[in-house]
Amino acid sequence: MVTFICGLFPAIRGTRSSLAGSLAQTSRSQVSGRNPVQWLLVGVQVALAVTLLAGAGLLLRSFQELGRVSRGFDSSHILTFQLSMNYGETGDLKKTSPVH
């Protein structure tokens, strides 16, 4: 969403002028001569990217720490099972069982 918003301004700006004029002007201008709004949008994107990366790192670290915490019960004598809910298995069951 942020990428779309930050990319919207240059896209709208690019549709206002002719392509040949924009290319000629861009080849002669320096990188520092950009519009201040573009610099603001780049700064916002970088700040959000760094924030998301830091948040992802903290989330991974939290999951690692949760693996080290005691569960609060003895897990050595636990019985588990798995149910399969495939349509093919239930389709045969419907054919054999009477419907009331």
Side-chain angles (χ1 to χ4, degrees):
M1 184 70 176
V2 174
T3 305
F4 177 74
I5 292 171
C6 290
L8 189 62
F9 178 73
I12 292 173
R13 188 171 161 220
T15 59
R16 291 183 183 167
S17 60
S18 68
L19 181 61
S22 296
L23 289 174
Q25 181 183 8
T26 304
S27 65
R28 286 182 258 142
S29 67
Q30 297 178 356
V31 176
S32 63
R34 287 187 178 171
N35 192 350
V37 175
Q38 287 179 338
W39 285 111
L40 176 70
L41 293 175
V42 169
V44 168
Q45 274 187 316
V46 169
L48 287 173
V50 169
T51 304
L52 286 173
L53 283 173
L58 289 172
L59 182 66
L60 287 174
R61 186 172 160 192
S62 296
F63 282 138
Q64 286 177 345
E65 293 297 322
L66 279 175
R68 296 183 188 139
V69 174
S70 173
R71 292 181 185 93
F73 58 90
D74 183 20
S75 62
S76 61
H77 299 292
I78 293 181
L79 176 67
T80 63
F81 63 94
Q82 181 178 1
L83 294 175
S84 175
M85 302 301 270
N86 292 335
Y87 178 73
E89 294 173 0
T90 58
D92 294 336
L93 183 63
K94 288 180 183 177
K95 290 179 185 176
T96 59
S97 64
V99 178
H100 298 292

